[in-house]
Amino acid sequence: MTEVDQAAPAGPRLKAAGPGGRFGRLGEVRHLGLVAALILLAIVGLVTRPENFATSSNLVSILALASTIGVITVGMTFVITGGGIDLSVGALMALASVWATTLATQSYGPVVMIVCAVLVGTGAGLLNGILIAYGRMVPFIATLAMMVAGRGLAQRMSNQRTQLVQQDNSMIVSLSTTRVLGLPLLVYVFALVVLFGWLVLNRTTFGRRTYAVGGNPEAARLAGIDVRKHTLLLYALSGLCCGIAAVLIMARTTTGSSTHGDLYELDAIAAVIIGGTLLSGGRGTIIGSILGLLIFTVITNLFILNGLNTADQLIAKGAIIVAAVLLQRRSLKTQT
């Protein structure tokens, strides 16, 4: 029996909505709806651009783009399920990519570059967690400050120039160029991160505590959970995902740049919301978040194939986010 199970009857009842029970069944229904939406988008692509959409190169392009944002989305799912939010993910990915591609770092080889990117992302995530958990800052403000500072530091380090990955460090680029069963290695890295995230959220004590902290922090504290420490770890995990995503974006673009990850926080948060994770915390699903991400990625791909500009893409994404939140609120009212 877990700490939550032992202490819940004596204090406020935990509101956490884990993977089982009624919310689990609702999640399964939502997943089917997201799959249906993906099928509908595929039909639209086949009708509007049959000569381009269904090609192997286009499908690989969709998966490659989804891989980079998808790793960040996994971390964002944990943070939002735990009752927080992280606006700094795009900037942290840019900072990690710039730090890892400086001439000094590259001189030590590709392994050190990868470790550097992961450590920079995790370290910045830890700083977010310290400010929020122990400094008692509002997550929105703390991560907004980190977003601005991280982007500025990346610009300062790179002198606002794009830094190329040197040929001696081609191992990183090979994550994008080397294919196994027709897919680049970075897609498999993404799949491993998703699998790890699903296992941790659904099959470990850490995952159960994440639901508990997000659902009712006070009840979680009375149940014996160190809420501040757990919050710190959630933001460190988000930073870790940003570091991994930085490696993938370096592989895809062969560069480190302060412009990497622009508005990735929007895509990640939107994917998480569309996937069924509550903005208030206590309920979340990795599979739903990834399906939401694929929907966004396919929509972006359809816009590009049909020659629509970036402004139209942003308007459509904003409308989808608003619709998802409204539907989420409506479903919560229906349940109560």
Side-chain angles (χ1 to χ4, degrees):
M1 186 176 291
T2 66
E3 297 160 331
V4 174
D5 295 331
Q6 292 171 344
R13 186 175 181 181
L14 293 175
K15 190 181 72 174
R22 179 182 61 171
F23 287 104
R25 291 190 293 271
L26 289 173
E28 292 174 1
V29 173
R30 178 181 286 272
H31 292 169
L32 291 175
L34 294 174
V35 171
L38 269 176
I39 294 174
L40 180 61
L41 288 172
I43 294 173
V44 171
L46 291 172
V47 171
T48 59
R49 281 291 182 268
E51 70 282 3
N52 300 119
F53 181 78
T55 61
S56 59
S57 60
N58 186 58
L59 295 179
V60 169
S61 176
I62 291 174
L63 289 176
L65 177 59
S67 296
T68 307
I69 307 176
V71 171
I72 292 177
T73 301
V74 171
M76 186 70 75
T77 302
F78 276 90
V79 169
I80 295 181
T81 301
I85 197 165
D86 192 348
L87 301 179
S88 65
V89 290
L92 295 190
M93 188 187 78
L95 176 61
S97 74
V98 167
W99 208 315
T101 53
T102 60
L103 291 177
T105 306
Q106 291 200 59
S107 65
Y108 291 99
V111 174
V112 173
M113 291 173 64
I114 293 172
V115 172
C116 175
V118 170
L119 288 179
V120 169
T122 305
L126 278 171
L127 182 56
N128 275 335
I130 292 171
L131 293 174
I132 294 165
Y134 296 95
R136 299 189 182 279
M137 290 185 67
V138 177
F140 181 88
I141 299 300
T143 58
L144 179 64
M146 182 61 75
M147 177 183 74
V148 176
R151 189 73 70 178
L153 181 57
Q155 292 175 353
R156 185 67 178 271
M157 291 184 65
S158 64
N159 290 322
Q160 299 187 17
R161 297 176 180 174
T162 298
Q163 300 174 167
L164 297 176
V165 176
Q166 297 176 344
Q167 291 184 352
D168 294 340
N169 300 311
S170 58
M171 187 184 85
I172 291 180
V173 180
S174 68
L175 291 173
S176 178
T177 57
T178 302
R179 298 196 176 191
V180 177
L181 300 178
L183 296 176
L185 290 178
L186 59 85
V187 175
Y188 293 98
V189 174
F190 168 49
L192 288 175
V193 172
V194 171
L195 177 60
F196 176 79
W198 184 89
L199 289 173
V200 171
L201 190 60
N202 294 279
R203 294 291 185 266
T204 67
T205 301
F206 185 87
R208 290 190 292 273
R209 289 177 178 176
T210 300
Y211 285 117
V213 170
N216 192 329
E218 179 61 20
R221 185 185 67 80
L222 293 175
I225 298 174
D226 189 337
V227 175
R228 290 192 297 181
K229 178 182 177 182
H230 193 84
T231 300
L232 174 68
L233 292 176
L234 287 176
Y235 283 94
L237 178 60
S238 179
L240 171 63
C241 289
C242 292
I244 296 173
V247 176
L248 299 186
I249 197 71
M250 288 189 295
R252 283 183 53 228
T253 64
T254 69
T255 64
S257 173
S258 60
T259 61
H260 283 333
D262 186 33
L263 294 181
Y264 272 24
E265 57 276 359
L266 167 67
D267 290 338
I269 293 172
V272 170
I273 295 172
I274 292 173
T277 298
L278 290 182
L279 268 176
S280 57
R283 191 180 85 191
T285 160
I286 295 292
I287 300 301
S289 296
I290 298 307
L291 289 174
L293 170 68
L294 289 174
I295 287 175
F296 255 72
T297 307
V298 172
I299 289 175
T300 300
N301 182 258
L302 289 176
F303 272 59
I304 293 173
L305 291 180
N306 286 279
L308 300 176
N309 58 42
T310 304
D312 293 331
Q313 295 180 36
L314 295 176
I315 292 172
K317 288 181 178 180
I320 292 172
I321 294 172
V322 171
V325 173
L326 291 176
L327 288 173
Q328 193 176 87
R329 292 182 61 183
R330 181 178 178 182
S331 64
L332 286 176
K333 289 181 179 180
T334 303
Q335 293 163 18
T336 55

